[in-house]
Amino acid sequence: MKNLIAVPCFNEEENINECIDSLLELKASGAIDYDILIVNDGSKDKTKKILNDYENKISIISSNQNHGLSEVFNSILYYSKNHNYDGLLIFDSDNQYPYKDIPSLLNKLYSENQDILIGSRDFSSLGHFSKSKKFFQKLGSLIVGLSLRLKLTDVTSGFRAYSTKAIELLFVSNTFTYTLETLYQAKQNKLKIASYDISYTNETRESRLFDSNFEYIGKSIRIIFKSMLIYRSKLMMFLLTILFSIPGLLLTSRFFIKYFQYGYNAGNIQSLIVGVAYFNFLLIFIVLIYMVLNSYKNKVFFLKNLYKPKHS
């Protein structure tokens, strides 16, 4: 199998040496064969200079400005497709994930015929995670897992392996992170998703994706809701219809309960009129949402098919 280990990188002068050296060491051990791609996303420190020292051993693509993790992921997918890789694994440049688990992750991907294999962390054992962070990580994984009808324990882990089919079909439309949206996209495309319990997780620097946990939670909730609307639209439209129908049902029931009890109801006419008007507005609202969703789906389709990477 032709494998690629891709490493997103932004201002990692303190960590990138260790990251690349560990990947080269593992490759030299013969445990599994792969190529290494570093995506330098507009680093302003000495990262680019350090990467130049490895240019004969690894592949490097770069951009002059920072585009964010989602754009880096799309560039990695584009590179993987153009170079015909059978398997792709994303590895963080801050060394938080165990590089020695890479062979197990890729072998499990192939042996079990999976399309996305998530390297899942054991949050209970992570001493550098606060109690609140552990709680929200577990809660988020539970909610996403239930909405996808899958048993997932770590939906935000970036340590993931992808099959050829996943490389071909996935594309991220949000500007924050790829970890959540790709799960919903994979489910829509009937890709197989599974988890692999990794051996340990290192404590590293603070994330550069967000400034606070509240920002992270807020952005994640928006991505989950948006992804469910786009990729689980039938389920979401059903749930939204049920939810927004409640006020109309309460209004009209004031008339119909007495009507069915006594065979007539001379009162509660205003409630009936307002309730019927509410359902008419709700129908228009649902049609408008449906039209907006279809428009956005078409937009994502064209973005994917006309995509040109910002890293080269």
Side-chain angles (χ1 to χ4, degrees):
M1 293 294 184
K2 186 180 178 184
N3 301 306
L4 177 69
I5 309 298
V7 182
C9 177
F10 174 65
N11 289 347
E12 290 288 359
E13 62 181 7
E14 295 180 2
N15 300 303
I16 197 62
N17 278 112
E18 182 183 346
C19 174
I20 297 174
D21 288 343
S22 63
L23 293 177
L24 289 173
E25 175 192 333
L26 180 64
K27 182 178 180 178
S29 72
I32 193 168
D33 189 37
Y34 52 79
D35 297 330
I36 301 171
L37 172 70
I38 308 295
V39 185
N40 177 27
D41 190 31
S43 296
K44 303 303 180 185
D45 60 1
K46 296 178 182 178
T47 298
K48 188 174 182 180
K49 184 179 179 181
I50 295 171
L51 291 177
N52 290 336
D53 295 335
Y54 292 93
E55 61 183 355
N56 294 324
K57 299 177 182 179
I58 63 174
S59 297
I60 304 166
I61 56 176
S62 302
S63 61
N64 292 325
Q65 66 183 80
N66 180 251
H67 295 286
L69 191 55
S70 292
E71 184 60 39
V72 169
F73 183 75
N74 285 335
S75 289
I76 291 171
L77 292 178
Y78 186 89
Y79 182 95
S80 301
K81 281 185 281 190
N82 278 4
H83 290 80
N84 300 311
Y85 283 102
D86 300 302
L88 163 68
L89 185 139
I90 307 294
F91 187 76
D92 278 14
S93 55
D94 61 3
N95 303 299
Q96 67 168 300
Y97 298 112
Y99 71 94
K100 291 184 178 179
D101 283 3
I102 289 174
S104 299
L105 208 64
L106 286 171
N107 287 330
K108 185 179 175 72
L109 179 80
Y110 296 129
S111 64
E112 297 187 2
N113 196 30
Q114 298 293 338
D115 293 304
I116 298 180
L117 190 60
I118 305 171
S120 297
R121 297 162 289 184
D122 179 10
F123 295 116
S124 301
S125 67
L126 300 183
H128 56 283
F129 272 33
S130 65
K131 289 183 179 180
S132 61
K133 189 171 183 179
K134 291 178 182 179
F135 171 78
F136 284 115
Q137 288 281 5
K138 291 179 180 179
L139 178 62
S141 294
L142 177 64
I143 292 171
V144 172
L146 288 173
S147 67
L148 294 171
R149 290 182 293 175
L150 294 169
K151 186 178 180 181
L152 301 174
T153 56
D154 187 2
V155 297
T156 61
S157 170
F159 190 35
R160 300 183 181 188
Y162 300 87
S163 69
T164 308
K165 190 175 180 182
I167 292 170
E168 183 64 35
L169 292 174
L170 296 179
F171 179 81
V172 183
S173 62
N174 79 83
T175 57
F176 182 52
T177 181
Y178 64 91
T179 54
L180 296 169
E181 182 180 350
T182 50
L183 294 178
Y184 288 96
Q185 200 174 74
K187 184 69 174 180
Q188 183 192 51
N189 287 293
K190 299 181 179 179
L191 300 181
K192 295 179 181 178
I193 308 170
S195 297
Y196 171 85
D197 294 330
I198 59 177
S199 55
Y200 64 87
T201 306
N202 292 317
E203 181 178 0
T204 62
R205 55 159 175 75
E206 292 296 320
S207 174
R208 295 196 176 107
L209 276 178
F210 51 89
D211 295 324
S212 67
N213 287 333
F214 290 108
E215 180 189 356
Y216 174 75
I217 292 169
K219 287 184 176 180
S220 296
I221 290 173
R222 287 196 292 272
I223 290 173
I224 292 170
F225 184 75
K226 188 176 179 180
S227 296
M228 287 187 68
L229 279 173
I230 298 168
Y231 305 113
R232 303 282 286 167
S233 54
K234 289 183 180 179
L235 173 63
M236 281 298 289
M237 291 301 290
F238 173 76
L239 293 175
L240 288 174
T241 300
I242 295 297
L243 178 64
F244 288 115
S245 293
I246 293 174
L249 290 171
L250 291 174
L251 286 166
T252 55
S253 65
R254 297 185 66 191
F255 174 85
F256 284 111
I257 288 174
K258 290 184 178 180
Y259 180 83
F260 287 120
Q261 281 180 334
Y262 306 111
Y264 69 93
N265 184 6
N268 304 115
I269 301 299
Q270 287 182 331
S271 295
L272 178 62
I273 293 172
V274 173
V276 171
Y278 177 85
F279 277 117
N280 286 331
F281 282 115
L282 178 61
L283 178 61
I284 295 171
F285 177 68
I286 290 171
V287 170
L288 287 174
I289 290 180
Y290 184 77
M291 291 172 63
V292 170
L293 283 176
N294 278 341
S295 176
Y296 191 83
K297 287 178 183 179
N298 290 333
K299 178 184 176 181
V300 174
F301 174 80
F302 284 113
L303 283 174
K304 179 184 177 183
N305 285 277
L306 299 175
Y307 177 74
K308 297 297 181 185
K310 294 182 174 63
H311 305 86
S312 59

